[in-house]
Amino acid sequence: MKIGILSTSKSLYSTKRLVEACVKKGHEAQVINHKRCYMNIASHNPSVHYNGIVLSGFDAIIPRIGASVTFYGAAVVRQFEMMGVYSVNESVAITRSRDKLRALQLLARKGIGLPVTGYANSPGDTADLLELVNGAPVVIKLLEGTQGVGVVLAETRQAAESVIEAFRGLNANFLVQEFVKEAGGADIRCFVIGGKVVAAMKRQGREGEFRSNLHRGGSAELVKLTPEERSTAVRASKILGLNVAGVDLLRSNHGPVVMEVNSSPGLEGIETATGRDVAGMIVEFIEKNARPGKTRTRGTG
Ligand code: ADP
């Protein structure tokens, strides 16, 4: 098969591993920088152009779209779908999961456990918003943030009000969430492929840090999931329509709660912590599922 990996850099760990896994299984792999793709969207013959050539002959693509280029990256994935190329994660599912509010609303509607979460637009509603999530301590998150940047723990009502005021002053979109203290600065990353959790790790924030992000000095180790955690992760990916997803859970007193579902989950942390060949499993999923024209949405949903 000819497999395209949409990624902005060949030297990223995840990209390298996916190329390696494709080649090892006898496939042709090409890294395509989606930021440098251009396309004729009005044509009857949809195509993607890159470096002066028309990209063709692909059996499947693996989108690795960073948060800062979701909009354009999803358009490139959509164009491949219009060409009938199988995408491991479809454009609609990627945009669904990237919009944190939309994703949480979709999960809530299907009864997935979530931290109590509030969102408001008007400055006059701060007090009521804090009430809604049962008051301080609360976690306040910028909607555009990644890797723990823009995630603030406000331990008192006064601190919460100041942070909210500051975010509003910057015209930033944010949400306010119950602080799941009992998680003890740890979260669980479940790596889901094709409706199964294939690897899971527990990430622990460094001493005194409530955020467990590895980029913030957290550490990761293999973890055994409960059946409830496993089914929550699988259901969350399914609800958002993702075949490959990183589902982040917190262990709360009222069971597992989903914090986020990532459509381009990194491979380095999970492969290192679990010793599993996750890249290989993604390629195996493609081998079983990729068919020409097998795109549910054809980029139009
Ligand atoms: P990002 O997407 O920027 O990584 P997250 O929402 O995943 O932001 O938050 C970063 C980290 O902060 C999480 O991995 C988790 O350890 C911690 N955290 C986030 N929300 C909560 C919460 N409501 N209660 C307790 N800890 C939280």
Side-chain angles (χ1 to χ4, degrees):
M1 284 203 280
K2 184 170 168 182
I3 301 173
I5 298 155
L6 303 193
S7 165
T8 52
S9 170
K10 282 186 180 161
S11 59
L12 296 170
Y13 176 94
S14 302
T15 311
K16 279 197 293 198
R17 286 283 301 124
L18 287 166
V19 170
E20 232 172 71
C22 287
V23 172
K24 197 168 158 199
K25 292 178 191 297
H27 305 297
E28 185 188 337
Q30 187 178 337
V31 178
I32 304 164
N33 182 348
H34 43 278
K35 274 175 42 182
R36 296 199 32 222
C37 288
Y38 45 101
M39 47 218 172
N40 181 348
I41 54 169
S43 160
H44 287 300
N45 248 337
S47 56
V48 178
H49 300 246
Y50 185 63
N51 262 343
I53 51 164
V54 181
L55 295 177
S56 64
F58 285 93
D59 299 294
I61 54 166
I62 307 175
R64 304 279 321 166
I65 312 288
S68 60
V69 285
T70 302
F71 185 73
Y72 195 71
V76 175
V77 175
R78 205 177 301 127
Q79 189 81 355
F80 275 106
E81 288 164 5
M82 287 162 67
M83 291 156 56
V85 177
Y86 179 82
S87 179
V88 165
N89 279 334
E90 293 196 1
S91 55
V92 176
I94 295 171
T95 27
R96 228 182 249 142
S97 66
R98 274 294 153 74
D99 179 338
K100 285 193 193 186
L101 274 182
R102 183 180 178 193
L104 291 178
Q105 286 172 322
L106 289 169
L107 297 175
R109 192 170 69 182
K110 297 284 182 185
I112 295 285
L114 301 170
V116 181
T117 304
Y119 176 79
N121 196 26
S122 160
D125 301 326
T126 305
D128 205 26
L129 183 64
L130 285 171
E131 230 28 77
L132 206 72
V133 299
N134 307 322
V138 290
V139 175
I140 305 167
K141 297 184 190 183
L142 285 180
L143 288 191
E144 291 82 15
T146 52
Q147 297 173 356
V149 179
V151 180
V152 182
L153 171 61
E155 302 201 58
T156 63
R157 162 172 287 269
Q158 221 170 11
E161 284 175 358
S162 308
V163 174
I164 292 175
E165 210 171 288
F167 281 177
R168 282 209 166 110
L170 295 166
N171 270 327
N173 283 310
F174 60 91
L175 50 80
V176 182
Q177 215 161 54
E178 122 196 53
F179 174 48
V180 183
K181 186 163 192 262
E182 61 272 24
D187 76 349
I188 312 278
R189 158 62 60 96
C190 306
F191 206 107
V192 179
I193 302 178
K196 283 199 193 81
V197 179
V198 299
M201 65 176 167
K202 180 177 177 180
R203 296 177 296 200
Q204 180 76 55
R206 62 185 152 75
E207 186 76 32
E209 171 65 70
F210 82 101
R211 294 167 297 184
S212 59
N213 303 72
L214 301 182
H215 287 96
R216 312 206 60 80
S219 58
E221 63 179 49
L222 190 80
V223 68
K224 192 159 162 41
L225 298 180
T226 66
E228 194 188 2
E229 287 164 349
R230 204 169 270 281
S231 74
T232 300
V234 169
R235 285 184 62 217
S237 339
K238 191 155 179 229
I239 291 164
L240 297 180
L242 294 167
N243 291 315
V244 170
V247 182
D248 293 342
L249 304 174
L250 291 174
R251 286 182 162 163
S252 85
N253 288 339
H254 46 99
V257 289
V258 172
M259 253 186 327
E260 198 175 17
V261 182
N262 196 315
S263 58
S264 293
L267 299 183
E268 186 166 15
I270 195 87
E271 287 197 335
T272 311
T274 66
R276 307 214 64 186
D277 176 12
V278 178
M281 290 190 270
I282 293 176
V283 177
E284 278 162 23
F285 177 81
I286 293 174
E287 288 170 345
K288 285 205 194 90
N289 292 281
R291 303 280 176 278
K294 190 179 167 191
T295 63
R296 256 187 310 173
T297 61
R298 289 181 199 285
T300 52

